[in-house]
Amino acid sequence: MRAHLGDQLVVESPATGATRRDGEIVGLHHEDGTPPYDVRWSDTDAVTLVFPGPDAHVQHIEHRPERETTDEAGAESARTSLGRAPNPGDIGRRVAFERKRQGLTRAEAARLAGMAPAYLAYLEERPADPTVASLIRLAGALGTNVAVLRGGGINRPPGQGRALVHPRLQDIGPDECRARLSTHGVGRVAVSTPDGPAVIPVNYEVIDDAIVFRTAPASVPAAAVGTDVAFEVDHVDEAMSQGWSVLAVGPARVVTEPDAVHRLAVRAHTKPWAGGQREMWVSIRPTRLTGRRISPADQ
């Protein structure tokens, strides 16, 4: 009986054919995918070692890779025998993002979620259809909820979740503001245009204490050059009902020195999300850096 991580194992009554138990295969012990399996049963949510007999059959999930890894000791990659690069599905990308945001390794997250590290690697690197029970355990381990892992609310503005009963609004200092800005991300720049004020999202880099972003000379963000502008970055954690915001204010200038432009291009983490020819680098060197954080009152 050939099986893969994430398949459903169904055990039926030999007399009536009625389903007796079903579960999700979360561990393989033989290289060729034969028994025994680690199975999480849907009726108990417990993981047990199973030697399927003639009354069991496997329900395969679509888009299954041809061969999965059998390393159950915390493998960091669910490589296939063909050596293909990871091709995660939407859930896998969100799981990996939330895990890294929490600073957890796969082994740590798998332990907290009560699943095999190799199965978590499979979820993150291959299109998968995990059970609701698996998503609930993963969400709990990652400090989020099932809706977030499934992409729910992606078309809603942030902050529509339930607010804290007793929130604490706290100013954060320049050092923490810089830490929150990190090395790169997506922020918003506020500029004045002939049509009035505008706030435009840009993906930015932080290099030598300056906030830099790429744009096109005739674009709206280019109107920032030669003026004092405000640049804002924030994050709202819907699952935890908390968040933070950082505001940088300072003069913006266009970077024209060839060596400086080359250095910025080399150190950039990503191309502009908006695409197109955006080779004009704008630098904002903050003269004022402030921030606030909303958290539970007892933190």
Side-chain angles (χ1 to χ4, degrees), residues 86-154:
N87 179 31
D90 291 346
I91 289 179
R93 289 186 179 91
R94 294 187 181 99
V95 168
F97 175 82
E98 294 294 335
R99 175 179 62 80
K100 293 173 183 177
R101 190 160 68 88
Q102 294 293 334
L104 297 173
T105 65
R106 278 184 180 158
E108 292 169 339
R111 177 180 56 80
L112 292 173
M115 62 178 51
Y119 180 56
L120 179 56
Y122 165 74
L123 288 182
E124 290 189 1
E125 297 190 3
R126 302 294 171 195
D129 185 20
T131 63
V132 173
S134 294
L135 286 177
I136 290 174
R137 299 175 77 91
L138 266 175
L142 301 177
T144 185
N145 56 53
V146 173
V148 170
L149 297 182
R150 283 178 165 172
I154 192 171

Side-chain angles (χ1 to χ4, degrees), residues 167-253:
R168 179 187 183 191
L169 183 60
Q170 183 181 14
D171 292 333
I172 57 179
D175 289 341
E176 184 173 348
C177 287
R178 294 186 185 93
R180 298 285 184 180
L181 286 172
S182 188
T183 58
H184 64 290
V186 174
R188 288 172 289 277
V189 58
V191 298
S192 296
T193 73
D195 296 324
V199 179
I200 308 298
V202 294
N203 53 302
Y204 69 92
E205 307 278 337
V206 177
I207 299 178
D208 298 334
D209 290 330
I211 299 168
V212 296
F213 62 89
R214 272 181 287 194
T215 187
S219 65
V220 174
V225 174
T227 67
D228 281 351
V229 298
F231 185 86
E232 192 262 351
V233 178
D234 59 24
H235 177 75
V236 176
D237 190 334
E238 297 275 359
M240 304 303 291
S241 300
Q242 57 190 24
W244 55 266
S245 175
V246 170
L247 178 66
V249 177
R253 69 175 186 89

Side-chain angles (χ1 to χ4, degrees), residues 214-223 225 254 277-282:
R214 272 181 287 194
T215 187
S219 65
V220 174
V225 174
V254 62
Q277 295 296 319
R278 300 175 186 274
E279 302 302 328
M280 174 183 173
W281 283 94
V282 177

